[in-house]
Amino acid sequence: MSETGKFGEYGGQYVPEALMPAIEELTDAYERYVLNNEDGFMNEFRERLRDFGGRPTPLQYADQLSGAYDAEVYLKREDLLHGGAHKLNNALGQVLLAKYMGKDRIIAETGAGQHGTATAMAAAHLDMPCEIYMGRTDINRQRPNVFRMRLNGAEVNPVTVGRGTLKEAISETMRDWATTVETTHYVIGSIVGPDPFPRMVRDFHSVISEEMREQSRERLGRLPDSVVACAGGGSNTMGAFAEFAEDDEVELIAVEAGGSSLAVDEEEGVAPNSATLSTGDEGVLHGARTKLLQDSDGQIMESHSVSAGLDYAGVGPELAHLVDTGRVRPVNVDDDAALEGFHRLSQEEGIIPALETAHAFGYLHENPDAVGDVTVINVSGRGDKDLQTVIEETEQRDLDVDVDMSVFDTAGGAM
Amino acid sequence: MANNPDLGTAFGRDEPAFVPYLAAGDPDYEASIGYVEALARGGADVIELGLPFSEPIAEGKTIQDAIVRALDAGMTPDRYFEFVEDVDVDVPLVCMTYYNLIYQYGDEDGPRSFVEKAADVGLTGFVVPDLPAEEADPLRTACDEFGLDLVFIVAPTTRGERLDEMREQVSGYVYVQARLGTTGARDDVSDQTDESLARIDDWKVPKAVGFGIKKGDHAARIVRAGADGVIVGSALVDIVAEGTESDEPVSAVADRLETRARELKQGALRGARERAKAGGD
């Protein structure tokens, strides 16, 4: 394998032999169509992102937050991309690439359902049959997205092993792919997996930071002091960071899910957080060497976060590398701070963010001095899918920011 | 165990080898010891002994469930090495596991500590489903240092340069994956087997075929097609699963494993006779 598939010590291609020819085929297609724009692939991709996806997304000045934190806070509104999250950038790119490669079936895993939804939309848009694997826990906590996938014509296959979250869904999708590899493309949903996936998914999402950069130059006449993005697997994170990699004056801050605690229960194999960049150790999972939440034997831990989309025991190998080199600063906030961030953005700015995104705002609230004079926060997705979870989780806690839903009691449920 | 024959000897006899798989510690340590010994009594020539990993991406449901049972019963890499020392069989044991467990073991990063310990307890080699030839150099080097074999899996999709690369690194035997997909017992034998065997016809290492083999007739068919050995996992794990679910006594499950092992070994021998009669090699 060429060394381009490695990020320092991280990355690589740790997959069953049956998949290796498909990985080679994909690498070839990635280099031809994505890197070299063969047959005008990138032109068609950008055109469809504009017309179907609604790019470019705005860079919005956040009046209330800026006042509250005494900084210029800008929001990169990926929640306004078609589907309500940044995920479409990658899903559309990969489904289109599968079409150029002559594949006739799409499979994907999903955690929060945002990637599954984006893939289902892209597959419907490009007329490809599509099956999504989703853990049973996630199916139950992200019902609206299950409806959306079904409405777009995708099959949704529940994964019942383990805790039934993203980790198990990825394993199961890889098993499907190992069986159907000759006709099927696996649209992986983050910057994880074997090379070339981490590079390719980053490239499809890097349109986020490309626009951020241009918009900052135009609007501010300068680059921001910091870019803040939440990080689970890390796709919105790398999308928001990629084009700033060489701009050393721009600090890149990845906000992970601190869950309920950073402590780890080795006995039960549970890490009650998803703070892989902050607390993980190097290991091999799902095709790549990267930082992982694992026990001392190397068994993968069950992660936890109130937000399904961050609930993963691994992280993209490139992000792991950028943390080791000091380019990216990993930080984390807990479930409570994320929920407060959710309510605050909803009340102060009129934007209901995804719970994943809310972690970035939780961090901003706790560390207003850590982001410089001008910061851009990536609003990676909108929170419609999370309403049920947020109402339930909020009721169980004593938060600084809260919302009263007693109107339903007052109305008495009478029709 | 100690001083078991090496893989060259196990495959070197004038008959096809029967290579069963079980997950160590499924459903618990003691029962699993009995089950592995039953396979040896039933005629196993080599045993692939699974070290359970929490994310077994190459396994179908049968072996995934076995892995969950074994992990729940407390199997760990250190317990696994004790298991290898405790089990009383006189055939080579090959460790089948995923790379992260090999990589994490011991104080130093990389596979060396694990391989050193494996050699120490008497394991003969490794099959690592998530380690393609491209990433195998560190493990190959450690295996060479401690005199262990590294088995590679040839898939129906493996062709060209990839075959050459594996051919240079493989030792012990080559695991020919009979069909695309994950592990799991099937009711037929795939035609992909013949094509895969033909592609590596001139390799010097013995060729053992696995994935989906369930019955003696399948084993016979595989050997007729030219295989030097037959690998069977899920069909045996199914017996463990059924026995565990219905609370069968360990001895009864062990008897059924021994009987099935014998049927599979006999099937392989029958295939060899039929191949000789047909004027093959």
Side-chain angles (χ1 to χ4, degrees):
Chain A
M1 187 182 79
S2 69
E3 284 303 302
T4 48
K6 304 253 169 157
F7 308 98
E9 292 289 296
Y10 300 111
Q13 299 175 311
Y14 296 85
V15 293
E17 173 56 31
L19 293 179
M20 283 304 297
I23 299 277
E24 289 186 333
E25 185 189 349
L26 182 62
T27 305
D28 176 63
Y30 164 64
E31 283 167 0
R32 281 166 42 207
Y33 297 121
V34 180
L35 297 183
N36 296 319
N37 195 25
E38 194 173 305
D39 299 340
F41 172 86
M42 285 305 284
N43 303 9
E44 181 174 353
F45 170 57
R46 290 296 171 107
E47 210 166 279
R48 287 182 187 275
L49 262 188
R50 185 191 66 209
D51 297 347
F52 179 66
R55 294 215 79 92
T57 60
L59 183 73
Q60 181 212 334
Y61 180 70
D63 298 277
Q64 314 304 330
L65 296 186
S66 298
Y69 301 129
D70 197 22
E72 288 184 48
V73 178
Y74 286 85
L75 308 177
K76 179 60 176 167
R77 298 291 308 276
E78 288 300 292
D79 59 313
L80 293 178
L81 189 65
H82 179 42
H86 71 289
K87 293 286 185 188
L88 184 69
N89 300 324
N90 169 49
L92 188 65
Q94 285 201 53
V95 175
L96 188 64
L97 187 65
K99 227 175 162 109
Y100 274 61
M101 291 169 72
K103 301 283 177 184
D104 56 22
R105 176 175 173 263
I106 294 296
I107 54 173
E109 89 293 340
T110 197
Q114 291 301 88
H115 173 59
T117 304
T119 305
M121 288 180 340
H125 173 63
L126 293 166
D127 193 24
M128 294 274 267
C130 172
E131 290 181 41
I132 307 292
Y133 288 88
M134 187 170 187
R136 72 182 140 75
T137 307
D138 289 337
I139 286 180
N140 288 316
R141 61 178 168 175
Q142 302 286 332
R143 289 171 64 88
N145 277 339
V146 178
F147 289 129
R148 293 165 78 197
M149 286 183 263
R150 296 290 297 131
L151 288 168
N152 283 139
E155 296 294 331
V156 179
N157 303 323
V159 180
T160 56
V161 295
R163 248 187 79 233
T165 62
L166 181 56
K167 171 166 71 75
E168 290 80 19
I170 293 178
S171 292
E172 198 57 26
T173 317
M174 285 195 163
R175 293 185 187 108
D176 179 315
W177 202 29
T179 313
T180 58
V181 61
E182 287 161 319
T183 58
T184 298
H185 177 67
Y186 174 12
V187 179
I188 208 162
S190 193
I191 54 162
V192 301
D195 183 74
F197 281 110
R199 293 190 275 158
M200 183 172 74
V201 176
R202 173 203 63 205
D203 289 352
F204 287 139
H205 278 305
S206 64
V207 64
I208 303 173
S209 47
E210 190 184 302
E211 289 175 6
M212 272 184 188
R213 233 170 154 275
E214 270 175 32
Q215 290 164 327
S216 302
R217 282 252 156 84
E218 253 166 51
R219 296 274 295 281
L220 319 168
R222 56 166 288 194
L223 295 180
D225 296 319
S226 65
V227 176
V228 183
C230 66
S235 70
N236 95 86
T237 333
M238 272 317 297
F241 292 173
E243 297 292 321
F244 292 104
E246 310 292 319
D247 302 318
D248 289 337
E249 71 274 28
V250 181
E251 185 161 25
L252 305 175
I253 302 173
V255 188
E256 295 191 288
S260 55
S261 162
L262 288 185
V264 159
D265 183 347
E266 277 248 353
E267 196 65 18
E268 290 296 314
V270 175
N273 62 71
S274 304
T276 319
L277 291 171
S278 313
T279 68
D281 299 318
E282 187 190 346
V284 174
L285 177 67
H286 290 145
R289 187 189 289 195
T290 185
K291 287 182 190 286
L292 302 174
L293 299 177
Q294 56 187 330
D295 69 15
S296 54
D297 287 334
Q299 305 287 6
I300 308 306
M301 296 268 194
E302 297 295 349
S303 57
H304 165 80
S305 166
V306 69
S307 81
L310 301 184
D311 196 346
Y312 181 54
V315 66
E318 183 170 18
L319 213 40
H321 175 63
L322 292 175
V323 165
D324 280 4
T325 61
R327 183 67 191 90
V328 168
R329 183 149 65 92
V331 298
N332 60 81
V333 299
D334 64 13
D335 287 344
D336 285 6
L339 284 161
E340 287 170 0
F342 179 98
H343 289 302
R344 205 170 284 117
L345 197 68
S346 302
Q347 292 173 15
E348 305 290 319
E349 295 290 346
I351 298 169
I352 299 176
L355 264 176
E356 292 78 17
T357 310
H359 284 75
F361 292 95
Y363 176 76
L364 177 65
H365 185 72
E366 290 181 355
N367 305 276
D369 298 334
V371 297
D373 296 332
V374 181
T375 185
V376 177
I377 304 202
N378 194 34
V379 185
S380 55
R382 71 179 186 219
D384 306 46
K385 68 186 176 61
D386 294 315
L387 300 186
Q388 188 76 30
T389 306
V390 168
I391 302 303
E392 286 170 13
E393 295 282 344
T394 302
E395 277 172 1
Q396 294 166 18
R397 295 159 204 259
D398 182 21
L399 300 178
D400 289 346
V401 191
D402 206 344
V403 63
D404 179 2
M405 288 290 163
S406 63
V407 57
F408 289 109
D409 302 329
T410 316
M415 295 286 282
Chain B
M1 60 166 285
N3 303 320
N4 288 350
D6 63 15
L7 291 170
T9 312
F11 277 94
R13 299 196 201 100
D14 212 10
E15 59 179 52
F18 167 51
V19 185
Y21 164 96
L22 282 180
D26 169 28
D28 61 62
Y29 190 93
E30 291 303 325
S32 185
I33 292 265
Y35 296 163
V36 172
E37 290 172 356
L39 294 178
R41 283 198 303 278
D45 298 288
V46 175
I47 295 174
E48 287 184 357
L49 189 59
L51 164 58
F53 175 54
S54 57
E55 305 304 313
I57 56 173
E59 314 296 349
K61 185 157 187 347
T62 300
I63 294 180
Q64 284 178 51
D65 288 347
I67 286 171
V68 169
R69 286 192 297 270
L71 288 174
D72 285 349
M75 185 46 72
T76 64
D78 281 322
R79 281 293 271 165
Y80 177 87
F81 289 131
E82 284 169 34
F83 188 103
V84 171
E85 288 180 308
D86 282 349
V87 72
D88 184 16
V89 296
D90 56 6
V91 298
L93 295 179
V94 172
C95 172
M96 184 150 181
T97 194
Y98 288 77
Y99 193 55
N100 199 46
L101 296 187
I102 296 176
Y103 186 81
Q104 298 300 336
Y105 191 80
D107 294 333
E108 51 187 322
D109 268 356
R112 191 175 176 279
S113 305
F114 190 94
V115 176
E116 182 176 19
K117 179 73 181 174
D120 189 43
V121 297
L123 283 160
T124 307
F126 298 99
V127 184
V128 189
D130 65 344
L131 192 71
E134 282 78 353
E135 306 287 355
D137 282 349
L139 182 58
R140 178 73 263 178
T141 304
C143 283
D144 288 344
E145 181 182 349
F146 294 102
L148 297 194
D149 285 310
L150 183 54
V151 173
F152 282 93
I153 298 173
V154 168
T157 45
T158 311
R159 295 199 166 71
E161 283 175 27
R162 299 198 45 73
L163 281 174
D164 298 336
E165 208 162 321
M166 257 184 253
R167 186 180 188 162
E168 274 173 34
Q169 301 219 48
V170 71
S171 67
Y173 57 96
V174 55
Y175 188 138
V176 180
Q177 183 180 331
R179 65 179 78 225
L180 283 175
T182 52
T183 55
R186 307 296 209 294
D187 287 318
D188 62 332
V189 171
S190 165
D191 291 337
Q192 290 173 335
T193 310
D194 304 72
E195 294 159 27
S196 295
L197 281 169
R199 278 203 298 279
I200 58 168
D201 190 44
D202 57 344
W203 287 25
K204 287 203 174 64
V205 290
K207 301 155 195 83
V209 175
F211 267 54
I213 298 162
K214 188 171 163 186
K215 296 186 293 198
D217 288 347
H218 299 159
R221 158 88 174 73
I222 296 272
V223 171
R224 274 205 310 276
D228 303 302
V230 178
I231 304 170
V232 182
S234 297
L236 299 165
V237 173
D238 275 335
I239 294 175
V240 176
E242 286 161 20
T244 306
E245 243 163 68
S246 57
D247 265 337
E248 238 177 300
V250 169
S251 59
V253 178
D255 285 347
R256 288 209 286 137
L257 283 168
E258 186 180 336
T259 304
R260 178 65 70 89
R262 192 161 287 125
E263 178 202 332
L264 288 158
K265 174 72 185 184
Q266 291 305 321
L269 291 171
R270 193 166 68 244
R273 285 195 299 276
E274 287 165 1
R275 184 169 68 188
K277 212 182 289 176
D281 55 343

